[in-house]
Amino acid sequence: MKNILIIGATGQIGSELTMKLRSLYPSGNVVAGYIKGAEPKGDLLESGPSHLVDITDPAQIAEAVDKYQVDTIYNLAALLSAVAEARPQLAWKIGVGGLYNTLEVAREKNCAVFTPSSIGSFGESTPHEKTPQDTVQRPETIYGVTKVTGELLSDYYAKRFGVDTRSVRFPGLISYVAPPGGGTTDYAVDIFYAAVKGETFKCPLKPGTFMDMMYMPDALRAAIEIMEADPSRLRHRNSFNIASMSFDPEIISAKIREYVPDFKMVYELDPLRQKIADSWPDSLDDSCARYEWDWKPEYNLDAMTRDMLTNLRKKFGIAQ
Ligand code: AKB
């Protein structure tokens, strides 16, 4: 990777990935692609170039690639699972139409492309425990349908046109920097905000709802390491299971209570999110990623909880 374009650079993953890439590569070579209404601000704006890139407009992608001689594109544009159910047409336009536009530009201009998939690419008929790398993928959400289509389309471009496409299936991502918007796993971020603010957390998912989760620093490292991996070792491309921890609301609230003893949680279920979560795996088997590109997470639930609480208290000026 020499010159990198991040499409969706002001979103939950993009805002942190852009800064991380700028810390690893000359920051002038890492371009933050944004859409109108979500312009970069602060450090993100000041630390490197930015360019208007609406993924639904192939000309804008091509213009940014030409202007900055981009060789690697991180395509992070997507609607998350719950919000996608409310706007399925837009979810398809961005998730699949946008990916097609990106792959076509990449084919013409010889760029590598990273596009995240998700635990949402699996469905009810997938084995839920230690979900294998290669297994049934019949999701019933539009989010899942776009993710499976994206995996297949990306593999097609790799085989048919030699475009260097790579991907990981992200679990729910937890971070204190930018909040997620409209996902099924968002509760695992919101619970920390409630804990540091001394509020009772209203959990939208019932006890026993297990899902894979990951702390953002591990997720960023995965996105960078897969793009830097030796291609001769990759038997898979789109997309690798990655995992670091799996928990349900009871386990994470008990962990938070170890550090915030008076933390309280009540249940106020969201039927849509519950239905989506029930269809997703409880835990993924990430042995292919470990074998093919040495993937290894650094954070477990305890290390993540301590770091989240420390950083959120700092963010809100609350005494440690
Ligand atoms: C969501 O909940 O929609 C995302 C995901 C797991 O892909 N966080």
Side-chain angles (χ1 to χ4, degrees):
M1 295 193 276
K2 286 190 299 289
N3 296 318
I4 304 164
L5 169 66
I6 297 105
I7 301 178
T10 58
Q12 186 208 8
I13 306 173
S15 51
E16 290 190 60
L17 182 64
T18 305
M19 297 306 286
K20 176 84 185 171
L21 286 165
R22 283 180 180 162
S23 74
L24 297 172
Y25 296 91
S27 57
N29 298 8
V30 180
V31 184
Y34 64 92
I35 52 167
K36 277 201 187 107
E39 288 80 6
K41 295 188 191 94
D43 282 352
L44 194 58
L45 175 67
E46 278 146 33
S47 59
S50 39
H51 199 274
L52 183 70
V53 182
D54 180 338
I55 197 161
T56 63
D57 180 353
Q60 284 186 17
I61 306 172
E63 189 186 289
V65 167
D66 286 342
K67 178 165 176 194
Y68 297 98
Q69 296 174 350
V70 167
D71 55 56
T72 304
I73 303 173
Y74 278 88
N75 162 25
L76 304 179
L79 296 189
L80 292 184
S81 53
V83 87
E85 282 310 303
R87 308 187 69 187
Q89 295 81 3
L90 185 61
W92 180 267
K93 188 173 173 190
I94 295 172
V96 179
L99 172 60
Y100 173 77
N101 294 340
T102 306
L103 291 170
E104 271 297 288
V105 171
R107 179 180 68 78
E108 281 167 10
K109 299 179 187 294
N110 201 20
C111 302
V113 180
F114 172 88
T115 306
S117 185
S118 159
I119 53 172
S121 68
F122 298 111
E124 202 55 64
S125 51
T126 302
H128 278 217
E129 301 287 339
K130 286 275 159 212
T131 302
Q133 170 67 38
D134 301 311
T135 186
V136 182
Q137 287 182 285
R138 304 284 298 174
E140 288 180 14
T141 60
I142 188 67
Y143 181 67
V145 171
T146 64
K147 289 300 181 192
V148 177
T149 308
E151 290 188 13
L152 294 172
L153 194 60
S154 298
D155 269 346
Y156 179 80
Y157 268 71
K159 289 201 182 98
R160 175 79 167 78
F161 301 119
V163 178
D164 186 0
T165 56
R166 306 182 190 193
S167 171
V168 295
R169 295 180 182 131
F170 278 139
L173 299 183
I174 298 174
S175 162
Y176 59 87
V177 180
T184 302
T185 58
D186 296 8
Y187 93 89
V189 178
D190 300 339
I191 194 170
F192 284 102
Y193 279 76
V196 297
K197 289 178 177 171
E199 294 166 359
T200 297
F201 180 61
K202 292 183 184 139
C203 185
L205 301 177
K206 62 185 184 205
T209 308
F210 279 83
M211 285 185 287
D212 268 302
M213 301 281 178
M214 184 173 287
Y215 200 32
M216 189 62 92
D218 275 336
L220 301 180
R221 214 167 33 73
I224 294 168
E225 285 178 9
I226 180 64
M227 293 312 282
E228 288 176 344
D230 173 358
S232 69
R233 288 181 61 198
L234 299 183
R235 272 205 323 108
H236 297 85
R237 280 181 168 270
N238 302 282
S239 175
F240 282 93
N241 284 0
I242 55 169
S244 61
M245 61 188 96
S246 167
F247 55 75
D248 81 330
E250 289 292 304
I251 292 175
I252 189 173
S253 62
K255 178 53 74 181
I256 290 175
R257 221 165 280 120
E258 285 178 24
Y259 300 99
V260 186
D262 52 2
F263 172 62
K264 286 193 184 53
M265 179 171 84
V266 294
Y267 286 97
E268 207 167 274
L269 300 191
D270 173 343
L272 171 65
R273 284 186 166 81
Q274 185 65 56
K275 186 163 181 271
I276 296 175
D278 286 343
S279 76
W280 288 358
D282 292 358
S283 64
L284 298 189
D285 172 358
D286 63 356
S287 49
C288 282
R290 288 173 186 258
Y291 181 71
E292 293 180 38
W293 49 280
D294 306 322
W295 156 249
K296 195 168 184 290
E298 283 173 2
Y299 286 86
N300 60 18
L301 177 58
D302 188 60
M304 176 186 78
T305 301
R306 283 187 279 113
D307 207 60
M308 276 295 284
L309 293 172
T310 305
N311 281 293
L312 279 178
R313 284 185 186 125
K314 256 190 226 155
K315 185 169 173 169
F316 293 113
I318 297 167
Q320 300 286 336

